[in-house]
Amino acid sequence: MNQSRKAKLIPLLAAVTLLAACNRTTSSSSSTPDPTGSETPSESNTDKSTNTDTGSGAGEYKPYFGEEYNSNKITINVWTTAGDQQQTQLNNFVTKFKEVEPNVIVNNVKQSGSYDDLKEKIITGFAGNDYPDLTYCYPDHVAEYIYSFKAVDLTEYIDDPYYGWTAEDKNDIIPAFLEEGSKYSTPGIYSVPMSKSTEAMYYNPVLVGLDVSSVNATLNGNGVITESYLNSLTWDELLDNLAPTLKQYAKNQMDAGETPIWDSSDTYSAIVGYDSDDNLFITLAEQYGYGYTAIDETTGKGKVLFDNQGMKDLMKKLNEAYQDKLFITKGAANNEYINTRFTKKQVLFSIGSTGGVNYQFDDEAPMDVRVAPVPQAANGAKKALMSQGPSMCVLSHNKADGTIDKDRIMATWLFYRFMATTENSAQWALLSTGYMPIRESSYTTSQFMNITNLEGKEEATIDILTARNLIYCSDPDTTDMMFTSPVFVGSSACRSAAGGIVTQSLVAGSSLTDDSLNKIFSDAKNTAELQIK
C-alpha cells in the first residue's frame, strides 16, 4: 500500500465523516473541475531528456510522432461498450490527445452488447483484420487474445524511459489493478486498468441503532446494532448470529401487528443477498485459503483447485442459510438481481459491485442506504475483496509486409497513458459514480474530494449514497484487500463452474447430501478442465 496516500486519506476521510455529523447545509464545492481533466500541453522541446510530461500536458513534451508523420498520420481504433456519458468523455480525451500527439488519429467506436459480445466480435474479427488497437477487456478475454497471438506485452512501453511510466507513476497505480495485468499464464503485462470496481455490502439504514436485545441481548455486547459492528462482520457472525436475530425480530414485529423491518413474504426473500454467485465462490476461496485455481509452473496451463472439502463445507453452510431464508444469491433467486429485492426491502443486506451502486437506490422508495465491507472469513486466513471491472488491452496489427506495426502499438499506448493520468483517471471514474480511480493520487484531487464530501448532501438521496460508496472505495483498507485470480485459457469456464456450484448447492435445499455435493463439485471440475488449454 502507498503509505503516503494512507497518511493523507485517513484524516481526509475522518474530516468528511465529521462534516456529515455536523449536518451543515452549505455546499463544499469551491470549484468546477475541467471537463477533460487535462491541460493544454506546452510547446515541444527538442531535447527529450527534459520531458516531465505525465501524459496530461504537464511540463514540456516532444510528440513521439513528429513532423515526419505530418503526411502519414497514424490511425488507431478504440472499442468499448461504455455508456453515452463515458463516450462523451472518451471523445474529450481524443480531442485533448490530439494536442499532445497531432499526428495520431484516434477513432473511438462504441460497440453494442455485453463485454462477452465485444470479445466474440474481436476474436471473429482477427481473421479479417477487423478489430481494434485498444479495447475494453476482462482478464479471461485477454487470455484468449494471448492465445491468438494478438495481445501486446506492454512491458517495454511501460518501461520506456521517456514515453513510459516513471517509478513514481508505477507506485501511484493501485497495486491490485497493476498486478492484474501480469497474472496471465504467459509472462508479461497484457492489460492495464481502466474502469475498476470492487464489491460492497449495502444495507438498510433501519439497522443502525436497532435494539434487538429482546431477541438477542448478547449481539454486539448489548443487543444494539452499530455501524462499527456492521463494518467488521465475519460470515459466521452474519449467518449464525445477526441474520437469525433479525429474522426473529421481524417475526415478532409481525406477530405484534407492527410493520416489520423485513418483508419475508416473497419466495426469494432473505436477510442477506449476494448478486454474483461466481464472485461469492471465488472470494470465499480466497478469504478462507481453500483454493480456487492456479497456473501450473511446469506446463504454464491452468489447473482447478476448488474441488476440496473446505469449499464443500462452506456450500453446506450456505445451503442451510438458504433454507432458513437467511441467505440467497442471484442464481438461486431465478437470476433476478438482488438489488431489486433490496430496494423492496425483501433483503436487508445487498452485496454487489460498487460499479452498480445506482441500482441499490430507488427514487420512488428512497432509503438512506449505508455501505459496509463484504464480510470476511471467520478463521482470519486472509482479508480479501474482489477486484473487477474492465481493463484495457492493446492488440497488434501487421503492416503490408507482414511485420508488426509498432507505430500503432506506441500510439495506442500513448493514448492509454494519457487517459490514465491523475486528473483524467479521477474524471473518468467519477462519471460512473461507482468506478474507482486507478491512481492513488486521484483520490486526493479536488473533484474527487468534492464528490465524497458528505457536507450539504441530503439523506436518502443518490448523491449521499454515491459519496459513501466512493469513500468506501477510496479507503486504503479496501484497496489493500483487493485481489485477482490467475488467468489462463479456460479460466472463464472455471469461473462459470464455480458460480454453478453455488447456485446448485443452494437450490438443492433439503435434498443436498454429501454424495450430491461431491457430484456437483466433480462435475464442475470436469467441465472446467475440458476448457483449459
Side-chain angles (χ1 to χ4, degrees):
M1 139 62 53
N2 186 318
Q3 294 300 321
S4 63
R5 183 169 76 89
K6 190 164 188 175
K8 292 177 182 177
L9 271 180
I10 288 175
L12 284 170
L13 295 177
V16 167
T17 303
L18 178 60
L19 286 170
C22 292
N23 196 27
R24 298 178 185 171
T25 57
T26 57
S27 171
S28 64
S29 298
S30 59
S31 62
T32 302
D34 177 0
T36 66
S38 173
E39 299 175 359
T40 303
S42 305
E43 292 185 7
S44 302
N45 189 305
T46 56
D47 180 7
K48 292 184 180 182
S49 66
T50 66
N51 177 49
T52 57
D53 175 64
T54 62
S56 62
E60 298 190 25
Y61 179 86
K62 181 175 178 60
Y64 182 90
F65 298 98
E67 294 180 359
E68 66 273 24
Y69 288 89
N70 285 350
S71 59
N72 189 26
K73 298 186 188 306
I74 305 299
T75 299
I76 62 172
N77 299 301
V78 180
W79 288 7
T80 73
T81 56
D84 291 342
Q85 192 174 20
Q86 288 177 312
Q87 292 296 333
T88 298
Q89 183 63 71
L90 273 174
N91 289 331
N92 285 337
F93 287 157
V94 169
T95 299
K96 285 295 183 179
F97 181 69
K98 186 75 172 177
E99 299 173 8
V100 176
E101 288 285 351
N103 289 318
V104 176
I105 299 171
V106 180
N107 295 321
N108 173 37
V109 183
K110 179 181 178 179
Q111 299 295 327
S112 61
S114 67
Y115 297 127
D116 284 340
D117 292 335
L118 176 61
K119 178 202 72 172
E120 291 302 324
K121 183 172 184 177
I122 289 171
I123 290 177
T124 301
F126 284 157
N129 197 33
D130 182 19
Y131 60 96
D133 298 89
L134 183 68
T135 183
Y136 257 4
C137 65
Y138 269 84
D140 296 338
H141 306 164
V142 179
E144 296 192 43
Y145 302 155
I146 294 172
Y147 189 73
S148 299
F149 300 101
K150 294 297 184 182
V152 174
D153 178 2
L154 292 171
T155 303
E156 67 176 278
Y157 300 91
I158 291 173
D159 291 342
D160 186 283
Y162 185 80
Y163 293 102
W165 273 337
T166 65
E168 183 179 0
D169 284 323
K170 294 174 185 175
N171 189 51
D172 196 31
I173 307 296
I174 301 295
F177 299 163
L178 191 61
E179 291 166 6
E180 180 185 290
S182 58
K183 281 201 168 183
Y184 299 97
S185 56
T186 303
I189 301 173
Y190 290 93
S191 60
V192 280
M194 189 66 181
S195 301
K196 308 307 293 180
S197 62
T198 186
E199 291 184 310
M201 183 169 71
Y202 303 92
Y203 63 91
N204 191 309
V206 72
L207 299 176
V208 180
L210 184 67
D211 186 343
V212 294
S213 58
S214 60
V215 177
N216 186 348
T218 63
L219 187 140
N220 194 29
N222 60 0
V224 178
I225 299 173
T226 62
E227 287 194 56
S228 60
Y229 169 75
L230 296 173
N231 285 338
S232 58
L233 287 173
T234 65
W235 287 108
D236 281 355
E237 178 65 19
L238 177 61
L239 298 179
D240 297 344
N241 198 12
L242 178 58
T245 297
L246 293 172
K247 177 184 175 182
Q248 185 61 50
Y249 184 88
K251 182 179 183 303
N252 291 352
Q253 286 181 303
M254 289 185 65
D255 291 345
E258 302 171 4
T259 301
I261 60 172
W262 168 58
D263 178 5
S264 62
S265 62
D266 190 83
T267 302
Y268 300 117
S269 292
I271 298 296
V272 183
Y274 208 120
D275 233 351
S276 172
D277 297 53
D278 305 5
N279 285 3
L280 173 61
F281 188 99
I282 296 168
T283 299
L284 288 173
E286 185 78 10
Q287 289 177 348
Y288 283 85
Y290 291 150
Y292 166 57
T293 59
I295 295 176
D296 190 305
E297 294 183 0
T298 302
T299 65
K301 295 182 178 181
K303 57 182 180 180
V304 174
L305 304 178
F306 58 66
D307 188 5
N308 60 72
Q309 191 57 48
M311 292 307 298
K312 291 175 184 176
D313 289 342
L314 287 176
M315 293 305 106
K316 289 180 185 178
K317 185 180 186 68
L318 295 182
N319 170 272
E320 293 170 357
Y322 172 77
Q323 291 185 66
D324 290 338
K325 292 182 77 75
L326 302 177
F327 184 80
I328 198 166
T329 63
K330 178 187 173 187
N334 198 32
N335 278 323
E336 295 178 12
Y337 284 101
I338 296 300
N339 51 59
T340 301
R341 303 194 176 282
F342 175 66
T343 57
K344 294 178 180 178
K345 302 181 182 179
Q346 293 170 350
V347 298
L348 292 175
F349 297 91
S350 174
I351 302 175
S353 171
T354 57
V357 63
N358 285 346
Y359 298 109
Q360 307 291 349
F361 188 84
D362 184 354
D363 288 325
E364 296 182 1
M367 286 192 294
D368 194 30
V369 179
R370 306 303 176 90
V371 186
V374 174
Q376 297 296 310
N379 65 8
K382 179 181 181 181
K383 289 189 174 183
L385 280 173
M386 178 72 69
S387 175
Q388 56 186 23
S391 295
M392 299 294 268
C393 177
V394 177
L395 302 174
S396 65
H397 292 259
N398 290 340
K399 295 188 290 187
D401 62 4
T403 61
I404 292 176
D405 192 336
K406 291 200 170 185
D407 278 348
R408 286 179 69 168
I409 296 175
M410 175 57 84
T412 306
W413 159 250
L414 291 175
F415 180 62
Y416 167 78
R417 174 176 172 263
F418 176 83
M419 293 192 295
T421 63
T422 294
E423 297 296 326
N424 288 347
S425 171
Q427 189 70 23
W428 176 260
L430 295 176
L431 278 174
S432 69
T433 74
Y435 284 138
M436 305 167 66
I438 66 171
R439 284 180 177 264
E440 307 267 11
S441 56
S442 297
Y443 293 92
T444 55
T445 58
S446 59
Q447 62 260 50
F448 189 88
M449 295 308 298
N450 286 340
I451 287 181
T452 55
N453 189 346
L454 301 183
E455 182 184 11
K457 291 182 171 66
E458 294 183 10
E459 293 186 351
T461 61
I462 188 60
D463 286 345
I464 200 166
L465 175 55
T466 295
R468 288 172 178 151
N469 192 63
L470 288 171
I471 289 170
Y472 165 79
C473 290
S474 66
D475 191 324
D477 289 336
T478 298
T479 55
D480 277 354
M481 286 193 285
M482 294 172 65
F483 76 96
T484 55
S485 301
V487 186
F488 44 86
V489 176
S491 57
S492 59
C494 293
R495 167 178 283 274
S496 297
I501 289 173
V502 173
T503 305
Q504 293 177 66
S505 297
L506 267 58
V507 299
S510 60
S511 66
L512 187 71
T513 63
D514 286 344
D515 287 343
S516 64
L517 188 61
N518 287 337
K519 187 175 189 306
I520 289 172
F521 270 80
S522 63
D523 286 351
K525 178 183 178 182
N526 292 337
T527 299
E529 288 182 335
L530 288 174
Q531 301 299 317
I532 295 176
K533 299 177 182 179

